[in-house]
Amino acid sequence: MSYYYKAETVRQAIAGQWLFVLASLAPELEPALRKPGRHVPCPIHGGKDGFRLFKDAHETGGGVCNTCGTRHDGFELLMWLRGWSFDQCLMEVGDNLNAEKLYRKAQRIIPPAQQDRQKLPEAKTSRFSSKGELVNFGPARYEHKPENEMSYFATLQSAHGIERTIWGVDIERALTESGATCGDKVTMLNRGREAVTVVREVLDDHGELLHEESIATHRNTWEVINHSAVREHEQTETTDRLCQAQSNGGQSASRLRVVACEQPIREEETLADEEASASTTGVVPLFKETQQGPDWLHAVQTKMEQQTERRKRHDAQPGTQQLKILKVWDECLPIASEIAAPLHRYFQERKVLVRFGTLEQGDSIRFHPNLPYWEENAEGRMVEVGTFPAIVTAIRDVDGQLITLHRTYLSNHGKKAKVAECRKMMSVPEGLDLNGGAIPLAEPVEGILGLAEGLETALSAYRATGIATWSTVNAQLMKTFECPEGVHTVIIWADRDRSRTGEVAANVLKARLEANGISVIVLLPQLAIAAKAKGIDWNDVLVGQGILGFPPVRQLRSFIENRRSRSM
């Protein structure tokens, strides 16, 4: 009998047990499991120090690959290592834990005589179709040529790895309605042309906007089928059993149509199948009373639990973490200070020297001349290894309240400090939530706000366009960002990663904000990713091409205004 697991049930069962599950399902993680929080050879790419598990991996199961990026929990980590879908991963982890199973309802067979009454309506004919994985999409000038009009594109990758880019203004609507995002399997159907009136820019010989005019034309209409949104449930075992038990009246079994039945399975069937499953799988439950694993793994688990308990006791003291955050923030200096020379050199090398006075008004970026750097020693205790200059930024919630601080440790010469992790975020105080927060670098003007992951990327977009741009620090916080009041348009300067993490995060946020009536434009760098690089961002564009590598500000604002006028 077919069974499945509820994700929430498995998550509850695996609480605090990720080390044992990872050791069982991914034995190649042993070097990382022996040294959580320490860099070890990557299980995918090899090398010497390309991977590490989180310091709380026994609770989260997450880790970081220096090439592919962060895997936030054990499910993401196993999906990355094994190439599993989430459903496959859930089944493997559930079986490993011997978690509570749920059984599918019985099914009945519809005779061929009744099938005619249940035929699906005929699909519309299409003039063109393309199928593949959605790898990129967004607004851009047609064929990415500066002299062409703004349009919208979607790039699909076939099963053979061949990419094809499709252009059309209506693609934006079709993608939004389908809910598709990067990584989804889709089919794009051209449904023909319809008469429309569009606004066209009229430019002078120097490329400056003279005026706009309305013209009558035709536009292709599109439909996007999002195959990844359709979850297929396994029915093989039940179908075979029912087909054998019931006569098919001489008809071929392939013509029998199976649908869900309203009656639940009899209790004795469920119990019998559960007993059969338990007797054949040989799975040993991994709850605390019966944990299986080598002695060294138990020792690591015990050590991590003790460290977690010490941190909880420390953070439970009233106001402890808030006081630490405020102390560091109060010790910082304005970025315009002469003492902040390492910060100035760091920004200058990345070509993001913007007006410091404007940034200081936002009060979300400061400089610390000698910030202590702490690291965990071999005994699992935190020790100070030195002090370094540091860029300190404030992560604030949607109301502007300080949540925590992000630190970038530097050398005196404006390079990244030679420490294990030059970028660190202070722990979030108990009772506060990091989700939805960002580093607000300047106040939005005229309802338009830019958004980027990294600080340097946000400063690059701000310098190139003059549009206030905030940093979400990472892709996960990009997904959860809460937009401040008064903003009607968000421009996301997305990172272009080989793993497509930045694109996915940008489009997750896009779908959520647009559902709330906020217009969103996702812009990706069009530069090729270097052979040994994990990706490129808009700071790479600024360093390599200067401001000319960005969309012209006048045309970007014109596109926003035209879109707003059409939506009103």
Side-chain angles (χ1 to χ4, degrees):
M1 183 180 298
S2 178
Y3 65 89
Y4 64 99
Y5 296 105
K6 279 189 175 181
E8 186 60 30
T9 301
V10 175
R11 290 186 188 278
Q12 291 175 359
I14 204 171
Q17 308 300 306
W18 269 114
L19 296 188
F20 297 94
V21 173
L22 293 176
S24 175
L25 297 180
E28 64 270 33
L29 287 176
E30 180 176 336
L33 288 166
R34 286 181 177 272
K35 300 178 180 179
R38 303 277 183 172
H39 286 85
V40 298
C42 178
I44 297 292
H45 306 99
K48 295 182 178 180
D49 57 358
F51 178 81
R52 65 178 172 86
L53 287 173
F54 293 156
K55 293 179 181 178
D56 60 353
H58 64 302
E59 295 180 340
T60 65
V64 180
C65 168
N66 290 351
T67 301
C68 300
T70 302
R71 309 297 157 178
H72 298 90
D73 60 25
F75 293 105
E76 289 188 11
L77 187 62
L78 289 171
M79 290 162 64
W80 170 65
L81 285 170
R82 292 287 178 264
W84 291 336
S85 67
F86 179 75
D87 287 345
Q88 288 175 301
C89 189
L90 190 65
M91 289 294 290
E92 293 289 343
V93 174
D95 286 346
N96 198 277
L97 289 167
N98 199 15
E100 180 185 359
K101 298 180 177 70
L102 296 176
Y103 293 86
R104 305 189 189 283
K105 292 182 178 180
Q107 298 172 327
R108 62 187 176 87
I109 297 175
I110 297 179
Q114 298 181 19
Q115 292 183 22
D116 292 339
R117 297 197 297 269
Q118 302 190 27
K119 287 184 178 179
L120 298 174
E122 293 185 3
K124 299 178 182 178
T125 58
S126 62
R127 300 172 60 234
F128 166 85
S129 68
S130 185
K131 184 176 182 179
E133 178 183 343
L134 184 63
V135 297
N136 196 2
F137 62 92
R141 295 200 171 272
Y142 180 63
E143 294 184 341
H144 300 298
K145 295 181 179 179
E147 66 271 16
N148 290 340
E149 294 286 335
M150 289 297 294
S151 184
Y152 205 88
F153 74 95
T155 301
L156 304 185
Q157 185 180 71
S158 71
H160 302 290
I162 300 174
E163 292 191 358
R164 180 176 188 178
T165 299
I166 305 165
W167 292 88
V169 174
D170 191 55
I171 291 176
E172 180 179 14
R173 175 201 58 78
L175 283 172
T176 301
E177 291 181 357
S178 72
T181 188
C182 288
D184 287 347
K185 305 293 184 183
V186 301
T187 297
M188 298 188 63
L189 303 172
N190 184 323
R191 294 305 190 187
R193 307 176 71 194
E194 63 177 3
V196 295
T197 300
V198 299
V199 177
R200 185 176 66 179
E201 298 176 350
V202 178
L203 308 178
D204 61 17
D205 295 337
H206 302 288
E208 296 293 329
L209 180 66
L210 292 176
H211 60 85
E212 296 175 344
E213 61 182 12
S214 298
I215 60 173
T217 184
H218 289 82
R219 182 173 67 190
N220 287 319
T221 58
W222 293 88
E223 179 183 354
V224 175
I225 301 174
N226 184 4
H227 301 290
S228 298
V230 181
R231 304 184 63 182
E232 297 180 354
H233 297 290
E234 181 184 348
Q235 298 177 332
T236 305
E237 294 179 5
T238 306
T239 303
D240 291 343
R241 182 162 54 84
L242 290 174
C243 287
Q244 292 172 5
Q246 182 171 336
S247 171
N248 61 19
Q251 299 292 329
S252 170
S254 62
R255 294 188 59 193
L256 297 176
R257 187 159 174 256
V258 181
V259 298
C261 181
E262 298 297 331
Q263 289 77 23
I265 297 175
R266 296 193 306 275
E267 183 177 0
E268 57 269 24
E269 285 185 314
T270 302
L271 293 174
D273 193 73
E274 187 172 2
E275 292 172 357
S277 176
S279 64
T280 57
T281 58
V283 175
V284 179
L286 288 177
F287 300 110
K288 287 192 175 181
E289 294 77 13
T290 56
Q291 287 174 346
Q292 302 296 310
D295 291 341
W296 66 263
L297 189 58
H298 282 276
V300 172
Q301 175 80 10
T302 301
K303 180 180 177 181
M304 296 184 75
E305 289 176 347
Q306 292 172 347
Q307 292 172 353
T308 300
E309 186 60 30
R310 284 199 300 268
R311 284 196 297 268
K312 287 181 178 179
R313 286 199 303 267
H314 180 268
D315 292 343
Q317 300 175 23
T320 298
Q321 189 59 22
Q322 287 96 330
L323 290 175
K324 288 173 62 177
I325 290 171
L326 291 175
K327 180 177 182 295
V328 171
W329 192 237
D330 290 341
E331 290 173 351
C332 292
L333 303 173
I335 58 176
S337 169
E338 293 182 0
I339 299 177
L343 176 148
H344 301 163
R345 297 188 187 103
Y346 181 81
F347 281 174
Q348 187 172 15
E349 184 175 344
R350 284 154 183 78
K351 300 187 184 299
V352 291
L353 280 174
V354 297
R355 294 179 179 177
F356 291 147
T358 304
L359 294 180
E360 287 178 348
Q361 290 176 5
D363 194 27
S364 289
I365 178 170
R366 296 181 183 180
F367 174 77
H368 198 297
N370 53 352
L371 186 63
Y373 181 88
W374 296 78
E375 195 170 70
E376 187 176 318
N377 64 12
E379 289 74 35
R381 298 188 179 278
M382 300 301 292
V383 295
E384 182 180 329
V385 298
T387 61
F388 300 85
I391 302 170
V392 182
T393 51
I395 303 176
R396 302 182 183 275
D397 63 18
V398 69
D399 297 319
Q401 299 301 312
L402 178 63
I403 303 174
T404 189
L405 300 177
H406 184 273
R407 302 152 294 172
T408 302
Y409 289 89
L410 305 174
S411 70
N412 289 323
H413 302 291
K415 305 290 185 180
K416 292 179 181 177
K418 293 183 178 180
V419 292
E421 297 177 70
C422 66
R423 301 178 190 272
K424 282 191 171 186
M425 185 186 300
M426 296 187 72
S427 299
V428 177
E430 188 174 357
L432 298 182
D433 188 1
L434 194 61
N435 290 314
I439 302 171
L441 297 175
E443 285 296 316
V445 178
E446 298 178 352
I448 303 173
L449 174 65
L451 207 63
E453 286 185 41
L455 174 66
E456 296 86 343
T457 308
L459 289 172
S460 299
Y462 188 18
R463 184 193 171 196
T465 65
I467 296 173
T469 305
W470 295 4
S471 164
T472 64
V473 183
N474 56 44
Q476 180 60 29
L477 293 184
M478 171 75 75
K479 296 178 183 178
T480 64
F481 174 73
E482 294 293 335
C483 199
E485 290 186 9
V487 171
H488 57 71
T489 300
V490 172
I491 304 171
I492 302 178
W493 302 92
D495 291 357
R496 185 181 177 195
D497 311 309
R498 291 192 187 278
S499 64
R500 301 195 180 99
T501 302
E503 299 171 47
V504 171
N507 285 293
V508 167
L509 176 62
K510 179 179 187 291
R512 187 165 58 80
L513 292 183
E514 288 185 337
N516 294 325
I518 298 173
S519 179
V520 180
I521 301 171
V522 178
L523 297 173
L524 283 160
Q526 296 304 312
L527 294 177
I529 300 176
K532 296 184 179 180
K534 293 183 290 185
I536 58 172
D537 56 35
W538 286 96
N539 182 243
D540 297 319
V541 174
L542 184 64
V543 172
Q545 298 183 336
I547 294 177
L548 294 178
F550 285 70
V553 181
R554 185 189 296 271
Q555 295 176 4
L556 187 59
R557 289 186 176 274
S558 176
F559 178 79
I560 292 171
E561 289 302 318
N562 289 339
R563 176 187 277 192
R564 287 204 75 205
S565 63
R566 289 196 298 268
S567 64
M568 291 181 176

